[in-house]
Amino acid sequence: MVLSGGKPMPPGRATGGTEPARSRERFLQGEPVDADVRTSILSSWRRSRSLGLSPDQADLPFREDFDRDGRIVRAAVPVLDQLQAMFAGSKMNISVADANGTVLLRRFGEASLARSLPAFQRVPGFVFAERVAGTNGIGLALAERQLIRVHGAEHFAERSQRSACRALPVRDPLSGRIEGVLCFGYPSSAEDPALAITLRKAARAIERRLLGQSSARERALLRAYLDTRAEASVGLHRTIGVDELAPELLPRDRVVLTERAAELISSGQRAAVDVSLFDGRRVTLVSRPMTSGSGVEGVAIEAVLPGPSPRVPLAAPSQVDVPPGFPGDLAMVTTAPLPRLVPAAAAPGRLSITALSRHLPDVARGLFGTVGRGRVVDDQSDSPPQARGLVMVGEPRVGTYAVAARRRLELLSEASARIGTTLDVRRTAQELAETAVPRLADFVTIDLPEAVLRGEESADPRSDLHRTVVHGIRDDLPFSPVGEQVDFGLTTPQMRCLTSGQAVLEPDLKAAAGWLAQDPEHTERLLTHVHSLIAVPLAARGVVLGIASFYRAQDPAPFGDDDRSLGLELANRAALSIDNARRYTRERTMVLTLQRSLLPHDLPGQDAVEVAHRYLPAESDVGGDWYDVFPLSGTRIGLFVGDVVGHGMLSAATMGQLRTAARSFAELDFPPDEVLTHLDNLVGRLDREEPAAGTGVIGATCLYAIYDPTSQQCTMARAGHPPPALVWPDGTVSFPDLPAGPPLGLGGLPFEAAEIHLPEGSRLLLYTDGLIEDRHRDVDMVLDKLRGALAHPEHTPEQTCQTVLETVAPAHPGDDIALLVARTHALDPHRIATWDLPADPARVSEVRAAALRQLADWGLDETAFAAELMLSELVTNAIRHGAGPIRVRLLHGRTLICEVSDTSNTAPHLRRAASTDEGGRGLFLVAQLAQSWGTRYLPEGKVIWAECGLDGA
């Protein structure tokens, strides 16, 4: 092996002692170097290794059949001559290669340098494509399709370790296709960042000259057309500019004519089509194939209007200034600024489109049919006189670019409406795939991390990808199925895309070594169907969300850079929508988690009712719906259902406060109307203290019911809430007309309770308005459906909940739904014992004796001692401090409850008695013997109760 200085170098070792050299050595030994090497270089090293290339390989392929006079050569020669003069006296090696990596031209800043370099660095014809030469400037610029820099040991091969280079692809401004690569090679010690600026300017100069070549072809067609039509103008047929032919055309009519003309040019065939204008008129567009005197084949598009030809001289194009960098004998033919309807690379200048009308700028080129050399074939010489106006002249291939560009713009416009219609991550990804197929790709796969699907950020999306979408023109391709975890290899385009954050284009998958190396068997099956790939990262707001892979199968043309740009634009738009959906999913999950944590998880054991419940969050956002079930004194049960106005975290938090307060007020044994009054005051206070961050007044609705199994009476009150549904034991369904009451938070208005007798086996349905209120449904019809769903007396509460949700709840609820079903039970009268007595201390012993006999009948002998003491203290307390008459009641349910009621409203309270006090220890004794005790107020008087377990107290 020979270095640039002509001295031999031992193979197998990087020189220079720099950090890249050490990293390269570690890489070749199989050690990880991800943190020490630039992404593009490391990816190229991996591809080179996967191709089986050796760093010691000295030979490069040489081609003698390369085109020495092609478009890129003709465009580059003057530019390279100027660069050679600019770098005169330096060790600069300037080269131009074609799109396959074959060097076509070489220039040297120092003439003697050409004699001292090895042949592959001075003789055109050597191939520097990455697949044969490894990491180098020309090969990497073609692989990455952008400006790159390779310095010293970053080269894969030993032969280039002491040199550096910068290379930039050169594109055809019309098609956007890479025509070649401009590369600066120089010693590593001569590295200068300013070289990148010079390289870009030189590449742009070559591209302008390529555009000038296309302009020259268009001008030749225009000259041939004008010459021919000038000769024909002496006859019956005159051709003028379409503006002079129909000056009254509206701008939108001109756009329609221009677009249809572009399509005619791109098809390259002889044709005539009728175009309907917005005012009802019809214009015929005729395509006329033609050939210039220099052999350029193209098409002219004429607009033909019925009627005699006006006596207007032939409209000729105007000459305008020639853009810098073009040959002096060329001029751009146009009379108006050209719209940006071509690929981005082709926008500057738009020389390939000729415009003869001030209001009809060209958007396409190319025509139909064949013509004689230097003339337009006119096959309608015997037709009646008609007025004709030239719309545009051009070549079919250039017209194809313009039509494709317009369709790309249409696709982008359509994508704005189709992608992001929901706040669902999976659906948004599906919309991206449906938009791209088949107008950009034949198949699309989208892979997202599991964390993103949950609404979170993925710590490392490269190791957590799951196939989320597979969409294409058919379903029989062997892509990994939806739901499966996808592991991309380090050299695959997808992994390079995720690592670099840039879109990766693989025009020919059969030559994509990294893609083939991932899974040879699987990729081999895919290669029988697809041939080209674009891998695009889905990233928004600095967060990598996943990757989209676009595959082409039916279209024989591979993807190009314009397709990559289009795919990237679609992915960027989709990524923003996916990120919005992800953030919404995260917020909704947080609110839903809070909501569910504030709802009851396990309902308490009790015998009064059999309960089932459901909570269904809204699809769009989580609200503040809630329910609660809790036992009250005297075997009673409290049933709550409520709805906080609004959605989101504030509503969920407010719901938690209301539920806690509601339970607290209820456990004080307040009646339903008083509980609602206390809640109303609480909501008003919350609104004053925390004004909802400017979102409006906090409000809520609520329904509270207390069912007493001893009397089978249900007392209910509601605050702006829908009334409950009652299902009687025979299956009859009714909606009791409870006093409405205002919603919580309005204040100043009273609440009223109603009492209803519920026979055993009745079902009580409490629900929030999300079940019945929907803007797409009539409330009366929904209530009829609810009545039908409930008219099944044999259903259990669980079955009732399920039936109601399946038949009554909306398919896509816009509001939360809380549902509570309670089937009533009655306490066996044989388990209730009652005694009435006057306020006479002598009667206490009689009550104790009767209570002991009753406990013995119930088989509660082990509980008798504790019950006797508690009952004695409570009765004595009522006689001494209360007012008669006095009633004593024993309830035998899950526990034993002792109740003593009197007509006094004075409530006893627990106090600590001093050692010298004669009294004050009775309630203390009751509190020690009972599981719980308390006071319940009646319309007249109070009840003091104590509850003890049945395990012997």
Side-chain angles (χ1 to χ4, degrees):
M1 181 175 295
V2 179
L3 294 176
S4 59
K7 299 180 179 180
M9 184 187 73
R13 178 175 60 83
T15 62
T18 63
E19 181 59 31
R22 291 191 294 269
S23 298
R24 178 174 172 276
E25 286 295 328
R26 294 201 309 273
F27 172 81
L28 295 176
Q29 294 171 10
E31 299 178 13
V33 293
D34 300 55
D36 303 324
V37 182
R38 288 186 291 135
T39 301
S40 59
I41 299 298
L42 182 58
S43 298
S44 181
W45 285 358
R46 287 169 174 163
R47 292 194 298 269
S48 300
R49 186 167 58 183
S50 67
L51 288 164
L53 300 178
S54 170
D56 304 329
Q57 182 177 346
D59 298 331
L60 290 177
F62 181 78
R63 295 182 52 188
E64 296 183 354
D65 59 343
F66 67 92
D67 190 352
R68 301 175 184 272
D69 192 34
R71 293 185 65 223
I72 186 68
V73 173
R74 297 196 306 273
V77 166
V79 178
L80 261 63
D81 290 342
Q82 295 181 21
L83 289 173
Q84 184 177 24
M86 179 185 301
F87 292 110
S90 69
K91 295 185 177 298
M92 182 65 69
N93 185 343
I94 308 165
S95 58
V96 171
D98 62 16
N100 297 315
T102 302
V103 174
L104 307 176
L105 294 170
R106 289 243 185 230
R107 294 288 190 275
F108 303 96
E110 186 177 301
S112 61
L113 191 62
R115 297 187 295 271
S116 62
L117 293 176
F120 74 88
Q121 288 184 312
R122 57 183 173 85
V123 179
F126 283 94
V127 180
F128 283 83
E130 187 184 63
R131 66 180 182 277
V132 295
T135 307
N136 70 90
I138 294 174
L140 190 54
L142 290 173
E144 298 288 336
R145 311 179 78 83
Q146 61 182 339
L147 174 65
I148 60 92
R149 176 179 66 89
V150 184
H151 187 277
E154 290 180 336
H155 290 87
F156 186 76
E158 296 285 353
R159 59 176 174 266
S160 304
Q161 296 295 289
R162 292 182 178 175
S163 62
C165 61
R166 292 179 183 264
L168 179 65
V170 177
R171 304 174 186 275
D172 185 332
L174 292 177
S175 66
R177 184 176 58 245
I178 292 178
E179 293 288 334
V181 178
L182 176 62
C183 180
F184 291 173
Y186 44 88
S188 297
S189 59
E191 180 64 63
D192 185 353
L195 290 175
I197 300 176
T198 303
L199 184 64
R200 289 184 184 277
K201 290 182 177 180
R204 297 293 86 82
I206 296 176
E207 291 173 350
R208 287 195 298 270
R209 292 184 61 81
L210 289 173
L211 190 61
Q213 294 177 7
S214 299
S215 176
R217 298 171 62 89
E218 296 283 340
R219 292 174 185 284
L221 290 173
L222 178 61
R223 292 190 189 99
Y225 177 85
L226 293 177
D227 292 345
T228 304
R229 302 316 297 174
E231 296 174 1
S233 63
V234 297
L236 296 177
H237 303 282
R238 300 179 62 87
T239 301
I240 61 177
V242 73
D243 268 358
E244 289 75 10
L245 181 69
E248 73 281 4
L249 282 178
L250 299 175
R252 56 184 179 178
D253 291 330
R254 302 177 192 279
V255 172
V256 171
L257 289 176
T258 306
E259 290 180 352
R260 295 304 303 274
E263 294 173 359
L264 286 174
I265 291 178
S266 64
S267 64
Q269 299 178 3
R270 180 189 297 272
V273 297
D274 287 337
V275 180
S276 298
L277 303 182
F278 285 90
D279 59 3
R281 290 184 299 166
R282 302 181 66 85
V283 175
T284 301
L285 293 181
V286 179
S287 61
R288 297 196 170 276
M290 53 186 295
T291 303
S292 71
S294 59
V296 178
E297 296 183 355
V299 184
I301 303 295
E302 295 177 337
V304 180
L305 277 71
S309 174
R311 297 299 179 180
V312 182
L314 180 67
S318 59
Q319 300 289 332
V320 298
D321 295 337
V322 181
F326 288 98
D329 60 341
L330 296 180
M332 183 170 67
V333 179
T334 182
T335 59
L338 302 180
R340 297 181 63 85
L341 292 179
V342 294
R350 291 287 314 281
L351 292 184
S352 59
I353 299 178
T354 306
L356 293 179
S357 165
R358 178 176 298 102
H359 300 287
L360 285 177
D362 294 297
V363 280
R365 36 274 179 190
L367 261 310
F368 311 86
T370 58
V371 293
R373 185 171 183 84
R375 61 186 179 87
V376 178
V377 177
D378 190 346
D379 54 1
Q380 301 181 11
S381 57
D382 297 329
S383 60
Q386 293 176 320
R388 303 187 179 198
L390 178 64
V391 178
M392 62 180 64
V393 177
E395 298 178 85
R397 70 177 185 89
V398 185
T400 302
Y401 302 151
V403 171
R406 192 181 75 243
R407 290 173 179 170
R408 291 188 183 102
L409 287 179
E410 292 171 352
L411 180 57
L412 288 176
S413 177
E414 180 182 330
S416 299
R418 292 187 60 181
I419 299 176
T421 59
T422 68
L423 286 172
D424 180 81
V425 173
R426 288 183 173 85
R427 180 56 198 158
T428 303
Q430 182 71 32
E431 289 170 346
L432 168 60
E434 292 173 352
T435 302
V437 174
R439 296 168 67 178
L440 172 62
D442 296 317
F443 298 93
V444 176
T445 63
I446 299 178
D447 307 306
L448 302 176
E450 188 68 28
V452 171
L453 297 175
R454 296 194 304 267
E456 304 168 3
E457 293 184 12
S458 177
D460 185 7
R462 296 174 296 182
S463 60
D464 185 33
L465 290 174
H466 287 72
R467 183 56 47 87
T468 306
V469 173
V470 177
H471 183 69
I473 55 177
R474 60 180 193 272
D475 301 326
D476 58 344
L477 263 66
F479 290 107
S480 299
V482 172
E484 183 175 301
Q485 185 168 0
V486 183
D487 295 319
F488 293 112
L490 294 176
T491 57
T492 59
Q494 288 87 349
M495 186 57 69
R496 289 158 48 201
C497 167
L498 286 174
T499 303
S500 65
Q502 303 293 326
V504 174
L505 168 63
E506 289 289 357
D508 185 4
L509 283 176
K510 293 182 178 179
W515 188 74
L516 294 171
Q518 175 191 4
D519 186 349
E521 181 180 354
H522 180 248
T523 52
E524 189 65 30
R525 295 199 307 272
L526 270 181
L527 278 178
T528 61
H529 304 280
V530 299
H531 60 80
S532 192
L533 164 68
I534 299 174
V536 184
L538 296 171
R541 303 181 180 97
V543 177
V544 177
L545 304 172
I547 188 169
S549 301
F550 302 90
Y551 294 89
R552 182 163 285 179
Q554 287 190 337
D555 191 342
F559 282 125
D561 286 289
D562 289 332
D563 298 312
R564 180 178 64 171
S565 299
L566 178 60
L568 183 60
E569 180 64 26
L570 290 176
N572 287 340
R573 298 187 183 199
L576 283 175
S577 298
I578 290 175
D579 190 49
N580 289 337
R582 178 191 68 83
R583 290 168 179 260
Y584 166 76
T585 301
R586 181 186 60 188
E587 296 296 330
R588 186 173 187 272
T589 301
M590 291 172 58
V591 175
L592 188 57
T593 301
L594 174 63
Q595 171 89 336
R596 294 192 183 279
S597 69
L598 296 175
L599 292 174
H601 300 286
D602 298 318
L603 298 182
Q606 42 78 37
D607 296 324
V609 292
E610 180 184 351
V611 178
H613 55 86
R614 293 289 189 277
Y615 171 72
L616 185 65
E619 285 192 353
S620 59
D621 203 354
V622 178
D625 290 18
W626 56 282
Y627 60 88
D628 205 353
V629 179
F630 43 86
L632 299 173
S633 64
T635 68
R636 299 173 306 149
I637 194 75
L639 305 173
F640 256 119
V641 66
D643 182 4
V644 176
V645 174
H647 296 84
M649 188 73 73
L650 178 62
S651 296
T654 304
M655 178 274 289
Q657 291 176 292
L658 284 184
R659 176 177 172 255
T660 302
R663 171 169 283 216
S664 300
F665 294 142
E667 288 180 345
L668 292 174
D669 272 324
F670 293 140
D673 52 337
E674 290 189 28
V675 170
L676 294 185
T677 299
H678 287 295
L679 288 177
D680 182 58
N681 294 332
L682 173 65
V683 173
R685 186 167 60 253
L686 289 176
D687 189 56
R688 291 190 299 271
E689 294 174 354
E690 301 176 15
T695 59
V697 177
I698 296 175
T701 64
C702 181
L703 189 151
Y704 179 35
I706 298 177
Y707 173 70
D708 188 347
T710 64
S711 62
Q712 301 177 39
Q713 292 294 113
C714 183
T715 305
M716 293 180 281
R718 63 189 180 114
H721 203 82
L726 291 179
V727 186
W728 305 99
D730 62 356
T732 303
V733 180
S734 66
F735 298 92
D737 187 16
L738 300 181
L744 300 176
L746 294 184
L749 297 176
F751 298 96
E752 186 177 352
E755 195 170 272
I756 300 175
H757 180 76
L758 296 181
E760 185 174 13
S762 300
R763 281 174 293 158
L764 181 64
L765 175 70
L766 309 181
Y767 55 89
T768 55
D769 57 3
L771 178 67
I772 61 173
E773 294 183 5
D774 183 76
R775 62 181 179 179
H776 302 295
R777 304 188 300 171
D778 181 73
V779 174
D780 293 333
M781 295 181 61
V782 176
L783 291 177
D784 289 339
K785 292 177 65 177
L786 179 59
R787 183 177 285 107
L790 295 175
H792 298 279
E794 74 281 1
H795 281 183
T796 65
E798 283 290 340
Q799 292 172 328
T800 301
C801 279
Q802 193 63 31
T803 301
V804 169
L805 288 183
E806 290 176 352
T807 60
V808 181
H812 303 284
D815 194 7
D816 291 18
I817 298 174
L819 192 63
L820 187 64
V821 178
R823 182 162 62 185
T824 62
H825 297 296
L827 187 62
D828 188 347
H830 295 93
R831 288 176 172 262
I832 305 173
T834 306
W835 299 275
D836 293 318
L837 64 153
D840 183 358
R843 302 293 298 272
V844 175
S845 60
E846 297 178 10
V847 173
R848 285 204 308 264
L852 288 175
R853 289 192 298 272
Q854 184 64 64
L855 293 176
D857 291 343
W858 287 340
L860 303 179
D861 295 326
E862 295 182 358
T863 314
F865 177 75
E868 181 185 11
L869 287 177
M870 289 190 301
L871 190 61
S872 177
E873 291 294 335
L874 293 178
V875 173
T876 302
N877 210 37
I879 293 174
R880 177 174 299 180
H881 302 288
I886 297 172
R887 169 170 286 192
V888 177
R889 188 170 70 160
L890 295 181
L891 302 176
H892 178 202
R894 289 175 177 261
T895 61
L896 178 65
I897 301 174
C898 303
E899 294 183 348
V900 177
S901 61
D902 63 71
T903 58
S904 171
N905 290 325
T906 302
H909 61 278
L910 190 65
R911 67 185 179 89
R912 182 179 296 275
S915 58
T916 58
D917 291 344
E918 294 183 2
R921 296 178 179 86
L923 285 181
F924 178 77
L925 180 61
V926 171
Q928 296 301 310
L929 294 173
Q931 288 183 349
S932 60
W933 73 279
T935 302
R936 179 171 75 251
Y937 287 94
L938 302 175
E940 293 182 1
K942 65 180 181 299
V943 176
I944 303 175
W945 57 270
E947 181 179 353
C948 62
L950 301 181
D951 55 355

